[in-house]
Amino acid sequence: MEAPVTDKTIEIFESIEELSQCAAELFMKESELSVARHGRFSVALSGGSTPGPLYCLLSTEKYRMHIDWEQVHIFWTDERCVPPNHPESNFKLASDLLLSKLSLPNTNIHRIPGELSEEKAALAYEKDLLCFFSGCDIPRFDLIFLGVGEDGHTASIFPGIKAADTSPGLAVPVHANKLGWNRVTLSYAVLNSAATVAFLVTGKAKASVIREILEGNNQILPAARVHPEGGRTLWLLDRDAASVLKNRNM
Ligand code: 6PG
């Protein structure tokens, strides 16, 4: 199955620090453009270890002071079904590194209620999405940050876990099985409706899956199936993650 045409750009950086600076500049620029264009900026953050330095950067004066936070609405790409103060919570990650340093109105923080069951949390999040993006069939985020697991998962869409893979919904419950935590994830429908998706991927451990995705177009891998039509996909890679790509000048 050919992936639909999307505007795909790959940028390779010497380090996660340089990659994170590029991602912070992207956040700042897209927030400015979105607020100018439609009066608000909707962004979905992912979890994992990679985006930590980005969230720290955004809290520094260099970026924090140049973003109109009153108009920024923070969502998540996925969440583990744990309380918001749990060390595994994606909300806690962003809250500790960024949100706690801002005076963002609570109404701008669209947390996935991980303290609920995956079904109830997905329903609550879907309701929030439909309310915020009222008038749209499918929410169109201005910017979505995503990571990639070594198995090719992205958000909490895992290879072989049908629910998140095929659901027509916006927010999908994911049953733990071997994943450890029950989760909630944005569906492909929402990820592929974004204006901009930015993948942040670092480390040698991701090199082979990155080649599979970017050069093998292996559609079994969930991250390979995120390519918003009418939007753009940025792949921000460090040298290690890009180290086995044959064509590095895409
Ligand atoms: C999660 C994330 C997940 C993450 C990847 C990559 O909830 O775990 O949203 O999709 O982005 O697992 O994680 P690392 O950045 O730690 O490699």
Side-chain angles (χ1 to χ4, degrees), residues 165-181:
D165 195 338
T166 55
S167 164
L170 306 178
V172 184
V174 182
H175 307 299
N177 304 329
K178 60 183 187 307
L179 304 178
W181 303 105

Side-chain angles (χ1 to χ4, degrees), residues 46-51 77-78 80 90 147-149 153-156 183 206:
S46 67
S49 56
T50 307
T77 60
D78 62 317
R80 296 84 180 271
N90 290 342
V148 178
H153 82 259
T154 193
S156 284
R183 293 159 173 253
K206 306 286 179 73

